[in-house]
Amino acid sequence: MATATIADDLRPLHHPKSWIGKYVWSQDHKVIAIQYSLTAIAIGLVALVLSGLMRLQLGFPDTFDFIQPENYLQYVTMHGMIMVVYLLTALLLGGFGNYLIPLMVGARDMVFPFVNMLSYWFYLLAVLVLVASFFVPGGPTGAGWTLYPPQTILEGTPGHQYGIILMLASLAIFVVAFTMGGLNYVTTVLQARTKGMTLMRMPCSVWGIFVASIMGLLAFPALFVACIMMLLDRLVGTSFFMPAIASMGKELGYEGGSPILFQHLFWFFGHPEVYIVALPAFGIVSDLIAVHARKNIFGYRMMVWAIVIIGALSFFVWAHHMYVSGMNPYFGFFFATSTLIIAIPTAIKVYNWLLTLWRGDIHLTVPMLFAIGFLFTFIHGGLSGLFLGNVSVDVPLSDTFFVIGHFHMVMGVSPILVIFGAIYHWYPKITGRMWNDALAKIHFWVTFLGVYAIFLPMHYLGMLGVPRRYFALGETAFIPPSAHLANEWITIAALIVFAAQMLFFWNMTWSLFRGPRADPNPWGAASLEWQTPDTPPGHGNWGPTLPTVYRWAYDYSVPGADRDFTPQTQPPGGAGRYHAT
Ligand code: HEM
Ligand SMILES: [Cu+2]
């Protein structure tokens, strides 16, 4: 169904009167997107600082007295959880999802604006509860971001007093927030597309965010129940996950619970989560590449189906995180096979990105640089994943820095590069201003080369057998001096990369006030969000009438057209070619 179900006139929209109504209790998807993004970036900065502290300790052990072993574990945990859930998920779906979906499908807003607003405030609450754990006695939990029982709630684990309770509560609140947002994103895509916007005319960005939202709605409940059940184990002494166990010489009164059950629930959420982050990034990077190479995305239908298939398959691979858990070995065989099958649609996407670039009119703009950077890091991270997907290779590498190098490349750095590219790409639409090109290019090069300097040597460390989540290596016989050298090098590279991020923040803030006024469509993009009557778009997005869509979002360099792009709103005949989907 491609017709708009939200009426063409603006009256049904809630028009705020006061400043507070407009910017604080706002129901406008664009304002909510900014609120989500700024909160996610703020808490992401905390995670970045924590990784800096970890790197200082690993690069220069015995130098920083204020970092004790228990602090290190707390940093690891909070860094990992914040990065994955509170930064990447919130920014890609709550931030980009909110901003882009209505604008790209030609809607005035999300279908349930009030629920959308609530989603943000619950998210903020989740962040505040999480931050509170830094200030309670015992500090935040040091259980590792995977929160495996039984150690998570045992006395020897940092933050077992209150930190773990706040972490579990915060995650549960996050799931509530995500559900309210996710229902909106899915419903808006299905019900509020403007006239002519068929599903197969939607830009890849919307497809990625749409499928990721459906996945979130299916995967997050597993995390939710795991959190509630563990809270009960911790607070009222149930034994869902806790086996009969003695700790520090005393029996704890738990009986019969299954720690492995927790791992299954966690990874039933945790693996799809990787794609909840990756699919929006896949979609967005497809659009960046098409716009900045002035070509249609190669194999659009294949790209869309690959997103759908990857999303579906990723629910059948979760136990590749559990090869060393002691589960039945036949499971390992099944999950290794399903894991490696995902490589097929993923490789198709990579080929199609490269084929889009092939003979394109490549503009090496900053968004394009970040998109190409993503291709590098994603391919490298994906290749090491092919190794780890095999049980016999994973067993010795599990719990070493090889895994740290792998997943930072593929799900840490890759989506972050897309996010940077996307911020540079849409900044002129969001703010009406242009950023400083020279600063942005320095930011790109230092970040791109820097992440290689940081994460490639980690693979080497892992192959030496350097374990993850270790405060210090000490005098360990099997670890050669080169490992210590590599650790120093990584730390120095990380500090340089941090400095480059400050350039980014400076550029974004300064340009907001001083940047030159941006053209309404500086990249010559064909998709709908660039065709709004105002830049930045006003409340209701489209002025008096909703746009009508006549073609897909990728009519670039069409032979015979008068420009090298034909907007989706341009009727067939005359200048543009009609794309028959
Ligand atoms: C320059 C940026 C970053 C640096 C220097 C960095 C560094 C680190 C370090 C040193 C560890 C701990 C290794 C250990 O002892 O086990 C770690 C763990 C982790 N990082 Fe990062 N990281 C960065 C960015 C990211 C990003 C963007 C993500 C997003 C996915 C991320 C996700 C994680 C996760 C999930 C863990 C595992 C935590 C655990 O073992 O419980 N990191 N990182
Ligand atoms: Cu996985």
Side-chain angles (χ1 to χ4, degrees), residues 228-557:
I228 300 295
M229 285 156 81
M230 198 192 279
L231 266 179
L232 292 175
D233 278 7
R234 166 70 181 77
L235 291 175
V236 299
T238 54
S239 300
F240 290 111
F241 305 131
M242 296 301 282
I245 195 169
S247 166
M248 312 239 167
K250 58 177 193 285
E251 242 187 85
L252 293 186
Y254 289 112
E255 48 190 304
S258 165
I260 301 279
L261 172 62
F262 178 86
Q263 295 194 19
H264 280 296
L265 285 170
F266 183 86
W267 288 112
F268 187 81
F269 144 77
H271 185 83
E273 166 64 18
V274 174
Y275 288 97
I276 291 169
V277 169
L279 296 185
F282 287 175
I284 290 171
V285 85
S286 307
D287 288 346
L288 297 187
I289 289 177
V291 173
H292 296 270
R294 319 305 295 156
K295 259 182 77 181
N296 63 338
I297 187 77
F298 187 91
Y300 170 77
R301 278 171 174 273
M302 226 195 296
M303 291 302 253
V304 169
W305 280 109
I307 285 181
V308 174
I309 290 169
I310 293 172
L313 284 180
S314 69
F315 280 95
F316 299 93
V317 303
W318 75 88
H320 62 206
H321 296 275
M322 298 166 57
Y323 291 155
V324 295
S325 69
M327 65 180 186
N328 188 317
Y330 289 110
F331 273 27
F333 176 74
F334 171 80
F335 284 102
T337 311
S338 57
T339 299
L340 297 182
I341 289 175
I342 293 202
I344 299 168
T346 312
I348 289 178
K349 295 197 76 71
V350 171
Y351 290 129
N352 285 356
W353 287 320
L354 296 178
L355 287 166
T356 307
L357 288 172
W358 175 254
R359 300 211 170 159
D361 174 9
I362 297 177
H363 294 35
L364 283 182
T365 56
V366 173
M368 182 59 135
L369 288 174
F370 276 100
I372 296 174
F374 159 85
L375 290 181
F376 276 90
T377 57
F378 185 70
I379 291 173
H380 282 141
L383 286 177
S384 54
L386 284 180
F387 290 86
L388 290 174
N390 293 282
V391 183
S392 52
V393 183
D394 178 72
V395 168
L397 288 173
S398 185
D399 268 322
T400 71
F401 256 83
F402 190 90
V403 173
I404 302 284
H406 153 70
F407 75 68
H408 275 91
M409 220 54 179
V410 77
M411 85 145 321
V413 169
S414 300
I416 292 273
L417 291 180
V418 175
I419 285 171
F420 281 134
I423 292 177
Y424 284 114
H425 180 80
W426 279 295
Y427 188 88
K429 173 73 13 185
I430 298 170
T431 65
R433 304 267 183 172
M434 205 52 173
W435 30 262
N436 180 296
D437 195 58
L439 279 183
K441 286 202 165 122
I442 301 175
H443 173 228
F444 168 75
W445 282 109
V446 178
T447 306
F448 176 63
L449 298 176
V451 295
Y452 270 96
I454 296 172
F455 295 112
L456 262 195
M458 288 190 186
H459 295 81
Y460 168 73
L461 290 178
M463 283 188 280
L464 292 175
V466 173
R468 71 189 274 204
R469 295 181 179 167
Y470 266 43
F471 166 71
L473 297 175
E475 300 294 320
T476 316
F478 67 88
I479 290 172
S482 63
H484 302 290
L485 192 66
N487 260 331
E488 284 177 24
W489 159 273
I490 295 174
T491 298
I492 292 168
L495 295 178
I496 296 173
V497 168
F498 295 155
Q501 306 320 303
M502 299 308 124
L503 282 185
F504 168 74
F505 289 114
W506 165 254
N507 196 356
M508 293 297 109
T509 317
W510 188 84
S511 306
L512 195 57
F513 302 103
R514 295 287 165 80
R517 293 253 170 234
D519 191 278
N521 188 358
W523 317 114
S527 48
L528 215 48
E529 81 277 20
W530 295 100
Q531 326 303 333
T532 54
D534 303 308
T535 297
H539 192 48
N541 295 343
W542 304 107
T545 43
L546 287 172
T548 305
V549 165
Y550 297 98
R551 59 188 72 244
W552 70 345
Y554 298 101
D555 269 345
Y556 292 104
S557 311

Side-chain angles (χ1 to χ4, degrees), residues 551 555 558-563 565-567 570-579:
R551 59 188 72 244
D555 269 345
V558 178
D562 54 358
R563 286 178 295 184
F565 70 100
T566 315
Q570 185 161 318
R577 183 190 55 163
Y578 178 65
H579 188 269

Side-chain angles (χ1 to χ4, degrees), residues 6-20:
I6 289 191
D8 229 19
D9 70 306
L10 282 160
R11 267 167 302 167
L13 279 188
H14 167 85
H15 278 292
K17 310 241 161 14
S18 62
W19 187 89
I20 291 192

Side-chain angles (χ1 to χ4, degrees), residues 176-246:
V176 173
F178 174 81
T179 306
M180 292 193 281
L183 286 172
N184 249 312
Y185 314 150
V186 172
T187 319
T188 303
V189 168
L190 290 178
Q191 296 293 322
R193 279 169 289 127
T194 190
K195 194 157 177 275
M197 181 61 84
T198 58
L199 285 175
M200 278 299 175
R201 278 180 181 166
M202 297 197 304
C204 290
S205 298
V206 179
W207 269 107
I209 293 167
F210 173 58
V211 175
S213 303
I214 298 175
M215 292 176 65
L217 293 174
L218 297 172
F220 273 111
L223 178 69
F224 186 82
V225 293
C227 287
I228 300 295
M229 285 156 81
M230 198 192 279
L231 266 179
L232 292 175
D233 278 7
R234 166 70 181 77
L235 291 175
V236 299
T238 54
S239 300
F240 290 111
F241 305 131
M242 296 301 282
I245 195 169

